[in-house]
Amino acid sequence: QQQQQQRAAAAPTGPLYNPKFPLYALVRALNQAAVLTLGLRPSSPQEELEIVGLQMVLDSALARQATNGATWYVVAMPWWQALQLHLSQPWQPAPGPVDNSPLFRSASAWERITQSRFGPRLRPNLQRNKDYDIVSARMWGALQLWYGADHALPRPFLTTASGRGEVELYPLSVRIMRHSQLNPAQQKKGDDDSKKMPQVHYFFAIDISRLQTIGEVARYVCQQQRSQQRGKNNLRTEGMRLWDYRNADTPRLLDDDAQTVEEAGLVEGQAILLEYRNSDLTWPSELFLLARAGPKGGDVQTGLSASREPGTTGLSNLGNTCF
């Protein structure tokens, strides 16, 4: 009751806020928009109910026009219903900080080390309007300022085959691999081809959206690479490219930056090879093919074509450049 009195005392007053004022409806709508835009707390549960209701109508309209990939937010249904109950019946207790924990599942050791911008792992088979609902970035920003939240669940927006707006609940987790860095003495030692080709090993793991393009994934990998190797003097970001490394015997170059992750056929848990250019502008994979050709030379490109699937030519191009 004391909180409601404080809100009432803080409510705007004056002739503009008199219901008899000719432009009262317009002023009220502008006030509601300002509250959402500036993150101000509504003066009463009634005003908050009106603002939330207005934004829900706007969200519904936005969902019909939103572009795939736009960021929306997942809200657990128990908290969302508790908020609506409080707003419609102010004597009911406020719901407290946004609680999305009913949607979470325990993460495996592998998942705990995965770098994710999507928040905690979600339980499988979640259903909208039963387990969760989605809100726009503006609505989420207001809820976070008004109530606080422990975990945000941003998700890429997508349009289903039926035309309904939805979000990508379960992003893909992939392992980023890279070549070991060999010094010149190691590269010249022995005649065994395997010693001349740097070994591939695990670097880090990330979550990606099926709607991201290969170019966007490459830039994101670059950002994570910088954070992983912060402070190292030998960090090179002038050139890199990505390979679909699901099958180590027949890796596939991901050289179409406009292609989406889904179109590229990438799947959950697979490996992606991050290949750096050498200081002499060669690629480790090219050196391996030259080593296999032997001192007598040979048709390196033919050797590649014979051991790779269609669509993996173009080794000499720049690939995904990271600046």
Side-chain angles (χ1 to χ4, degrees), residues 123-141:
R123 293 189 290 108
N125 304 317
L126 293 175
Q127 299 180 31
R128 186 174 171 187
N129 296 327
K130 177 184 177 182
D131 301 303
Y132 72 94
D133 206 346
I134 62 173
V135 298
S136 65
R138 173 177 285 190
M139 174 75 89
W140 173 256

Side-chain angles (χ1 to χ4, degrees), residues 198-273:
Q199 296 297 309
V200 172
H201 65 89
Y202 170 81
F203 193 7
F204 56 83
I206 58 172
D207 284 345
I208 57 176
S209 166
R210 294 168 180 82
L211 300 177
Q212 285 180 272
T213 64
I214 297 301
E216 290 170 339
V217 172
R219 288 189 288 273
Y220 183 59
V221 168
C222 281
Q223 294 171 2
Q224 300 305 316
Q225 173 224 37
R226 294 190 188 104
S227 65
Q228 288 284 324
Q229 296 187 322
R230 186 172 300 161
K232 289 193 175 183
N233 296 325
N234 63 349
L235 175 63
R236 304 191 311 273
T237 58
E238 68 274 11
M240 52 83 75
R241 59 187 181 186
L242 302 178
W243 294 79
D244 178 349
Y245 208 66
R246 199 180 337 170
N247 188 333
D249 294 328
T250 56
R252 178 170 57 95
L253 181 63
L254 300 172
D255 57 353
D256 185 353
D257 284 355
Q259 191 176 45
T260 66
V261 167
E262 186 171 35
E263 291 168 345
L266 303 184
V267 297
E268 170 70 20
Q270 79 157 76
I272 294 178
L273 176 62

Side-chain angles (χ1 to χ4, degrees), residues 106-234:
S106 298
S108 66
W110 169 261
E111 291 168 338
R112 284 195 292 271
I113 64 172
T114 300
Q115 301 174 48
S116 179
R117 55 193 175 89
F118 298 105
R121 304 287 166 172
L122 302 185
R123 293 189 290 108
N125 304 317
L126 293 175
Q127 299 180 31
R128 186 174 171 187
N129 296 327
K130 177 184 177 182
D131 301 303
Y132 72 94
D133 206 346
I134 62 173
V135 298
S136 65
R138 173 177 285 190
M139 174 75 89
W140 173 256
L143 295 176
Q144 196 171 34
L145 285 169
W146 296 346
Y147 295 97
D150 293 333
H151 296 286
L153 297 174
R155 289 294 188 275
F157 183 89
L158 57 87
T159 304
T160 62
S162 63
R164 182 187 181 189
E166 196 41 272
V167 293
E168 184 183 359
L169 277 184
Y170 307 102
L172 297 180
S173 294
V174 295
R175 293 170 293 134
I176 304 300
M177 317 295 286
R178 67 170 177 174
H179 292 117
S180 301
Q181 301 298 316
L182 300 183
N183 58 46
Q186 288 175 307
Q187 291 179 339
K188 294 178 181 179
K189 182 180 179 181
D191 295 324
D192 187 354
D193 291 343
S194 64
K195 294 180 180 179
K196 298 178 181 179
M197 178 61 176
Q199 296 297 309
V200 172
H201 65 89
Y202 170 81
F203 193 7
F204 56 83
I206 58 172
D207 284 345
I208 57 176
S209 166
R210 294 168 180 82
L211 300 177
Q212 285 180 272
T213 64
I214 297 301
E216 290 170 339
V217 172
R219 288 189 288 273
Y220 183 59
V221 168
C222 281
Q223 294 171 2
Q224 300 305 316
Q225 173 224 37
R226 294 190 188 104
S227 65
Q228 288 284 324
Q229 296 187 322
R230 186 172 300 161
K232 289 193 175 183
N233 296 325
N234 63 349

Side-chain angles (χ1 to χ4, degrees), residues 42-57:
S43 59
S44 67
Q46 181 181 0
E47 183 184 16
E48 186 174 339
L49 177 62
E50 293 177 0
I51 292 173
V52 170
L54 172 64
Q55 189 59 48
M56 288 176 66
V57 172

Side-chain angles (χ1 to χ4, degrees), residues 41-81:
R41 188 66 189 263
S43 59
S44 67
Q46 181 181 0
E47 183 184 16
E48 186 174 339
L49 177 62
E50 293 177 0
I51 292 173
V52 170
L54 172 64
Q55 189 59 48
M56 288 176 66
V57 172
L58 293 175
D59 279 5
S60 179
L62 286 172
R64 290 193 293 270
Q65 302 177 1
T67 56
N68 285 350
T71 300
W72 283 55
Y73 289 81
V74 173
V75 179
M77 189 57 73
W79 187 91
W80 188 236
Q81 291 175 334

